[in-house]
Amino acid sequence: MARTLSSDVIDRAEAMFREYLRSRALKYTSERRTLLLEVLRNNEHFEAEQLLISMRHAGKRIAKATIYRTLPLLVDCGVVKQVQFGEKLARYEHTFGQGPHDHMICLRCRRVIEFDSAAAARLRETEAARHRFTAHSHRFQIWGVCSQCR
Amino acid sequence: MARTLSSDVIDRAEAMFREYLRSRALKYTSERRTLLLEVLRNNEHFEAEQLLISMRHAGKRIAKATIYRTLPLLVDCGVVKQVQFGEKLARYEHTFGQGPHDHMICLRCRRVIEFDSAAAARLRETEAARHRFTAHSHRFQIWGVCSQCR
DNA sequence: GTCAATGCAAACATTTTGCAACTCT
DNA sequence: AGAGTTGCAAAATGTTTGCATTGAC
């Protein structure tokens, strides 16, 4: 779940976030930095409430509203990606883990398996071209049963 | 949006729904039939609230709770599929339109373009096999800008 | 007649918003 | 100093639930 953070990742993420904020005349507050670090510590998929709880545990005070207001900024600057597994709540993952990937979700154990998305990205370009569409991103989710559950 | 319904579609959908209900000792009430017809009249993607409104317009009274309780049944019996475009609310589409397809969503105009999902289905089998996963379904969504918006 | 379904309103969960106090730049 | 940010609580959104009444089989 949490992992040791390489300072390299922190530096790159922080640079992206700061640059984004600066370009829009927004501020890099201590809450935003704290949240950024918390997000990077989460290797798995996380949600707003979870961030609040683990930050509280770590003794960092932050308002829920601030989390909800900051997450879109992190998405916008590319540090975080929204993933959604058909639930109502918003799930996120940071983009400094393994490379581009999509998700398989086991219907039995709810486990999420990540798989390389290179092929899906190629397919997306093919399909986009066919419809004169300019693709920016995609989401490919596969539901089924994982090997352990069979 | 709405269209002329072939009685063939109605018959097939009704058969699926009734059979499903019967097999679980559930009842085919007039509310459920009305909702089924309303769902079939929607060629585009729809949501719970929309169904309520158009039924009210047509003078059919139904409680919101009934809609929320019935939609999962329609999903379960295969008449309806849930599609989700990264919003919080649940969107659906009935399965009697064109064949299996996935969606491209224009970020500018929000238009949704459907495209044949045969290639995506093949890719899903390839990826599933690679991870010893048994795929049941998938969702492939592409975000970008449509031809009209460029 | 029985068991499930309905309507209604209240409860819920998640996310958004208004506003006064505060803090980066 | 000033514009953007925070925290808090209230509001909004979408969905679920409890319960008395109604209706399908």
Side-chain angles (χ1 to χ4, degrees):
Chain A
M1 198 133 294
R3 61 155 178 185
T4 322
L5 266 175
S6 82
S7 59
D8 171 54
V9 164
I10 296 178
D11 289 351
R12 282 190 293 146
E14 197 167 26
M16 281 171 72
F17 194 23
R18 296 194 78 146
E19 168 52 24
Y20 168 85
L21 292 172
R22 200 175 49 68
S23 75
R24 331 216 147 190
L26 303 179
K27 291 163 185 171
Y28 192 50
T29 64
S30 70
E31 286 82 2
R32 287 181 179 165
R33 185 172 54 248
T34 306
L35 187 62
L36 173 64
L37 293 176
E38 188 58 43
V39 158
L40 293 175
R41 280 169 38 79
N42 265 280
N43 255 355
E44 316 273 319
H45 310 105
F46 58 87
E47 47 195 274
E49 185 70 23
Q50 236 168 71
L51 292 174
L52 180 72
I53 293 172
S54 48
M55 290 174 81
R56 287 265 158 91
H57 266 252
K60 322 227 152 106
R61 311 193 93 316
I62 191 168
K64 196 180 279 200
T66 302
I67 295 177
Y68 278 105
R69 283 189 276 231
T70 305
L71 280 172
L73 302 178
L74 288 170
V75 169
D76 239 43
C77 74
V79 166
V80 162
K81 233 180 76 174
Q82 215 183 324
V83 293
Q84 202 106 19
F85 301 133
E87 309 136 317
K88 55 249 138 204
L89 56 60
R91 287 193 183 283
Y92 303 86
E93 66 185 14
H94 71 68
T95 56
F96 294 85
Q98 56 283 68
H101 60 271
D102 286 294
H103 300 104
M104 286 184 226
I105 302 104
C106 178
L107 295 167
R108 288 251 228 306
C109 67
R110 288 278 127 193
R111 197 193 319 268
V112 176
I113 297 157
E114 304 186 341
F115 63 94
D116 186 275
S117 68
R122 280 194 298 277
L123 178 55
R124 133 186 148 197
E125 291 311 322
T126 307
E127 298 289 358
R130 201 197 304 286
H131 292 82
R132 291 185 197 70
F133 193 85
T134 307
H136 289 175
S137 67
H138 77 265
R139 188 182 284 169
F140 190 19
Q141 301 172 324
I142 302 174
W143 281 272
V145 182
C146 74
S147 57
Q148 272 130 110
C149 284
R150 291 210 293 125
Chain B
M1 197 133 297
R3 62 153 178 187
T4 321
L5 266 175
S6 83
S7 60
D8 171 55
V9 163
I10 296 178
D11 289 351
R12 282 189 294 145
E14 198 167 25
M16 282 171 70
F17 194 23
R18 296 195 78 146
E19 168 53 25
Y20 168 85
L21 292 172
R22 201 175 48 68
S23 75
R24 330 215 147 191
L26 302 178
K27 291 161 185 172
Y28 192 51
T29 64
S30 71
E31 286 82 3
R32 286 180 180 167
R33 185 171 57 250
T34 306
L35 187 62
L36 172 64
L37 293 177
E38 188 58 42
V39 158
L40 294 174
R41 280 169 38 81
N42 264 279
N43 254 356
E44 317 272 321
H45 309 103
F46 57 87
E47 48 194 273
E49 184 69 24
Q50 237 169 70
L51 293 174
L52 181 71
I53 293 170
S54 47
M55 290 173 81
R56 287 266 160 91
H57 267 252
K60 323 227 151 109
R61 310 194 94 314
I62 190 168
K64 195 180 279 201
T66 301
I67 295 177
Y68 277 106
R69 284 189 277 231
T70 307
L71 279 171
L73 302 178
L74 289 170
V75 170
D76 239 42
C77 75
V79 167
V80 161
K81 232 180 78 173
Q82 215 185 324
V83 294
Q84 200 105 20
F85 301 133
E87 311 136 315
K88 55 251 137 206
L89 56 60
R91 287 193 183 284
Y92 302 87
E93 65 184 14
H94 72 69
T95 56
F96 294 85
Q98 55 282 71
H101 59 273
D102 287 293
H103 300 104
M104 285 185 230
I105 303 104
C106 178
L107 295 167
R108 288 251 229 305
C109 68
R110 288 279 127 192
R111 196 192 321 267
V112 175
I113 297 156
E114 304 186 341
F115 64 94
D116 186 275
S117 67
R122 279 195 297 278
L123 178 55
R124 133 186 147 196
E125 291 311 322
T126 307
E127 298 289 358
R130 203 198 301 289
H131 291 81
R132 291 184 196 70
F133 192 84
T134 307
H136 289 175
S137 66
H138 77 264
R139 187 181 285 167
F140 190 19
Q141 302 172 323
I142 301 174
W143 281 272
V145 182
C146 75
S147 57
Q148 273 131 111
C149 285
R150 293 207 294 124

